[in-house]
Amino acid sequence: MKNKLFLSIYLGCSVFYLLITAFNQEEIARVVKPFLLPILLIAVYFSESFKTKKILITALIFSWIGDVILLFADKGEIYFILGLVAFLISHLFYIVLFNKQTRSKSISNKLSFGAGIGLILIYFSVMIGTLGPKLGPLTLPVVIYAVVISTMLFFALKGSYQWNSIPYNSVLIGAVFFISSDSILAFNKFYHPIPQASFLIMITYLIAQYSIVWGILNLNQKK
């Protein structure tokens, strides 16, 4: 019951954060942001034990570290790079997390699975092709990051075909929203300023984290 309470608190706090972000209350938003992921962490902590619980907690911790570091991104490029590294590590743990979930079936619809892989490859190609000329000395770190998040999305896609049914394929949806958030951030920083970028980055990010956590908890719920 406690984990459901904290999941609800996370949703409520996320809505509050998004409202103050939409109204450009940046100072209040900076204070609230570091408290959002810890609420989700507490929800996972109070959930029943399962074999990949520590991996999920570790992924969330590195995401939280990235959140905090990126608060200082306007102070210098080093903070953006360190934030990128923290989220890179978080995504690596998400890859391990997705790969270690129990598979209950094989991939039956190979055509749609192949189409999904094709879309991931197209995303990667468009992302790097568009941003590549703008990245300068950050080309290699951003390309590595793009490879990792594309791999994370692949394992979420693969899992959606192999795991027990989850309503709305929550983990895959979360992975898509996570990549959307990272992509908006990258295009806003390197390509062209996007109106209400902070709001768009955070709404997709907060949905992503909730969807992944909710999906993993439901996948591992004892019958």
Side-chain angles (χ1 to χ4, degrees):
M1 288 297 292
K2 282 185 178 179
N3 67 324
K4 292 181 179 179
L5 171 64
F6 281 102
L7 286 173
S8 298
I9 292 172
Y10 171 82
L11 288 175
C13 290
S14 295
V15 170
F16 172 71
Y17 175 85
L18 291 170
L19 284 172
I20 60 178
T21 302
F23 287 101
N24 298 314
Q25 300 298 313
E26 293 295 333
E27 291 303 314
I28 301 174
R30 285 174 66 90
V31 173
V32 174
K33 185 180 178 182
F35 294 97
L36 296 173
L37 259 289
I39 298 170
L40 209 50
L41 270 162
I42 294 170
V44 176
Y45 176 80
F46 281 118
S47 66
E48 57 192 24
S49 181
F50 56 95
K51 67 177 183 178
T52 55
K53 184 174 179 177
K54 289 181 180 178
I55 301 173
L56 175 57
I57 288 173
T58 305
L60 289 170
I61 288 172
F62 276 102
S63 289
W64 175 75
I65 292 170
D67 283 344
V68 174
I69 293 173
L70 288 180
L71 287 173
F72 304 95
D74 58 340
K75 306 294 183 184
E77 200 70 24
I78 185 62
Y79 292 101
F80 176 78
I81 294 171
L82 291 174
L84 196 73
V85 170
F87 275 108
L88 179 71
I89 296 170
S90 175
H91 284 304
L92 289 172
F93 275 101
Y94 275 129
I95 289 169
V96 175
L97 175 71
F98 299 161
N99 192 44
K100 283 185 173 290
Q101 297 307 305
T102 301
R103 301 175 183 87
S104 60
K105 53 188 176 182
S106 59
I107 299 171
S108 56
N109 193 338
K110 289 183 170 55
L111 183 61
S112 64
F113 179 62
I117 294 174
L119 288 174
I120 294 172
L121 293 174
I122 290 170
Y123 159 79
F124 178 82
S125 301
V126 171
M127 186 80 170
I128 298 305
T130 304
L131 295 182
K134 307 277 188 178
L135 296 174
L138 288 177
T139 299
L140 182 59
V142 172
V143 169
I144 293 171
Y145 191 86
V147 169
V148 171
I149 61 173
S150 297
T151 304
M152 184 270 293
L153 181 56
F154 165 76
F155 277 99
L157 173 70
K158 187 168 179 278
S160 71
Y161 284 86
Q162 294 182 311
W163 301 330
N164 286 324
S165 296
I166 312 170
Y168 316 115
N169 288 316
S170 176
V171 174
L172 177 58
I173 290 171
V176 170
F177 271 105
F178 218 140
I179 279 195
S180 299
S181 179
D182 286 341
S183 300
I184 294 166
L185 188 154
F187 273 89
N188 183 65
K189 180 175 178 62
F190 297 112
Y191 191 73
H192 190 275
I194 298 173
Q196 291 290 320
S198 295
F199 178 82
L200 294 173
I201 291 166
M202 287 307 297
I203 190 171
T204 48
Y205 173 71
L206 293 171
I207 291 171
Q209 294 284 23
Y210 181 86
S211 297
I212 291 171
V213 167
W214 188 88
I216 295 296
L217 292 182
N218 277 271
L219 263 175
N220 292 279
Q221 193 172 46
K222 291 183 175 65
K223 303 300 181 185

